Structures are given as structure tokens and as C-alpha cells.
Amino acid sequence: MATSSSTLLSTFSPSNLSYNQLRPHLPLFLLPHCHQIRHRRLLTPIQNRRNGGGEPPDRLISAVCYLYPFLDGVHFGRFLLAQFPPIQLIIFPFAPAIRLFRASPLNPILIFLTLYFAVVRNPSSFSRYVRFNTMQAIVLDVLLIFPDLIERFLAPRDGVGLDIVMSIDSTVFLFLLVSLIYGSTTCLLGQVPRLPIVADAADRQIIGI
């Protein structure tokens, strides 16, 4: 078990990637009626076939897309997994996908380009439901650049700096894990997952496409 754990943890090394710059957007909490729409929009039933949420292939494709940010940010869980080894049982089924994702430093950017140009920018082949969920997964992945920058800037070895990085990394990892479970499960149920801030950015990216 120790060998499997060390092998799995060895794959969680940060990668240097280039990302498209996010367009600025107004956070949902700044809207005057946010308290009325947050709970209502968390799970939005698919109203018509045009959104494609009722089709099983669209549900499956959308659910799988949420693996992308999780695989790209799973290295943020190295501190948490080292402190709480039982948590490794949760991500152990993803070990083959993690190794494949980390097999080449080009894999993350290739998947990013494929999802964006082949899915999000391709309304003739994919429904808006698929393109929205794919874009939401992409935006979530792009946001990972910020904890990466913080970690590179601090570059701590011990002390308070290391405690800060451990807290940030563990929080990011847990958020990615929750987003994976919530996003994939909601898609498989034919509903629309809306992640905080990420959903609004994804909406703006696919408007007019």
C-alpha cells in the first residue's frame, strides 16, 4: 500500500502551462438580487431539447469534462493526502487517468485547446448544454493559475509561509474534488451545475456562439 501511495503522490508535481487570459467579470455576490438567484440557479432543470441536457450522450460528455480541472490540479492535494492517507482511497480510482494526464507536459495544453476549439467553439456539433459545461470546466482550470502563482511567489520551505501554502493547496484540492463530484453527478442527472463565479464567466464566453 505504501508503494502505491508513493507512486500516486509522485504524479502530483505542478506543471508550467500557458493559459488564455480570463475576461474580467462581475462576481455574482455584487449583484443586488444575488440572495434571490443563488439558490434558484444552483440546480437548473433542462427546459428544452435545444440545451441537450436530456440526451444521455450530452450528459456523459459534460460529466467527463469536469475531470479536466481535477486532473490538472490534483497535485494541490499532496499535503492533504500526506497528512490523511485514507483520502487516497477516494482518488485511487483516478490513478491511471492521473498518470496518463501527467505522461507528457503537453497533455494539459492539448486537452485545453481541444476542449475549447473542438467543443466550445463548435455549436454545429455540440449542444449549448455540452458547451456550457465544457467552458465551465475550462474556466475552473484557468483559475488554478492563481494558487500556482502564490506558491511560486512564496516558495516556502518551512514556517508560516509553508502553513499558508498548505492551507491554500488543500482548500483548492477540496474545491476541485467537490466540483468534480457535483458537476459530474448533476450532469448525469440532466441538470445544469452552476459553480460560483465560474458559471457566470462560462455563460459570457458562449454567448453569441
Side-chain angles (χ1 to χ4, degrees):
M1 181 64 182
T3 303
S4 301
S5 301
S6 60
T7 303
L8 184 59
L9 288 173
S10 66
T11 63
F12 304 153
S13 59
S15 57
N16 298 323
L17 302 177
S18 297
Y19 297 98
N20 290 345
Q21 186 177 5
L22 276 174
R23 296 178 183 176
H25 58 277
L26 182 66
L28 187 60
F29 62 80
L30 294 181
L31 297 176
H33 57 292
C34 63
H35 64 282
Q36 297 177 357
I37 64 176
R38 271 189 175 178
H39 300 292
R40 186 172 68 245
R41 297 180 65 189
L42 188 61
L43 281 180
T44 307
I46 298 303
Q47 300 286 332
N48 53 66
R49 294 176 63 86
R50 183 179 178 183
N51 288 333
E55 301 296 331
D58 288 344
R59 297 186 189 186
L60 182 59
I61 294 173
S62 298
V64 171
C65 285
Y66 287 97
L67 270 175
Y68 169 56
F70 178 76
L71 294 178
D72 199 20
V74 72
H75 63 271
F76 288 109
R78 61 191 182 277
F79 298 116
L80 193 64
L81 294 173
Q83 293 177 356
F84 304 98
I87 299 180
Q88 295 184 27
L89 297 176
I90 300 176
I91 66 170
F92 191 78
F94 301 105
I98 293 172
R99 296 191 185 97
L100 182 62
F101 187 85
R102 300 285 176 179
S104 170
L106 295 178
N107 285 346
I109 192 64
L110 289 177
I111 295 176
F112 173 86
L113 295 174
T114 300
L115 291 177
Y116 185 74
F117 289 104
V119 179
V120 176
R121 307 291 298 185
N122 190 7
S124 61
S125 300
F126 296 96
S127 67
R128 190 184 188 279
Y129 182 84
V130 173
R131 291 185 291 114
F132 168 77
N133 283 289
T134 302
M135 192 67 229
Q136 193 165 226
I138 290 175
V139 173
L140 180 58
D141 181 73
V142 171
L143 291 178
L144 295 181
I145 192 174
F146 295 108
D148 264 336
L149 289 175
I150 293 174
E151 184 173 338
R152 295 173 193 279
F153 176 76
L154 294 178
R157 295 184 178 276
D158 52 26
V160 178
L162 181 59
D163 291 337
I164 293 174
V165 169
M166 290 175 62
S167 298
I168 294 175
D169 284 7
S170 298
T171 301
V172 171
F173 172 76
L174 290 175
F175 182 72
L176 290 174
L177 182 60
V178 171
S179 297
L180 170 63
I181 297 173
Y182 164 67
S184 299
T185 303
T186 305
C187 286
L188 292 176
L189 294 175
Q191 297 176 313
V192 181
R194 297 191 65 88
L195 302 176
I197 300 178
V198 174
D200 290 338
D203 272 332
R204 282 193 293 273
Q205 289 292 331
I206 63 174
I207 286 177
I209 299 178

